Amino acid sequence: MRLDNAECAYSVEFMCRKLGVSKSGYYDWRNRLDSATAQRREELRLLIKKAFDMSDGT
């Protein structure tokens, strides 16, 4: 979950304090690239979606 989107009612500072994490740690995590596993899962998700979209005659 991103803390900096319009849907969030609390500041990053408030949420980090409540969760016991540093703001710098949050920003490091937010800017981190997806892991190889996350990238592969996204590739598989797209392949599965494509396979099911093709099977319904479109």
Side-chain angles (χ1 to χ4, degrees):
M1 174 178 91
R2 300 281 168 121
L3 300 178
D4 57 354
N5 64 24
E7 298 172 5
C8 190
Y10 302 103
S11 70
V12 170
E13 183 178 358
F14 174 81
M15 293 297 291
C16 288
R17 189 173 53 240
K18 290 297 182 183
L19 295 170
V21 299
S22 66
K23 285 194 312 182
S24 63
Y26 165 72
Y27 286 113
D28 286 346
W29 167 81
R30 187 184 76 172
N31 295 321
R32 191 176 303 145
L33 297 176
D34 286 342
S35 67
T37 300
Q39 291 174 9
R40 183 64 182 144
R41 285 181 178 157
E42 179 62 13
E43 291 172 13
L44 289 171
R45 186 189 70 76
L46 293 172
L47 288 170
I48 292 167
K49 184 177 187 304
K50 183 178 177 182
F52 279 93
D53 286 347
M54 290 175 62
S55 68
D56 67 4
T58 58

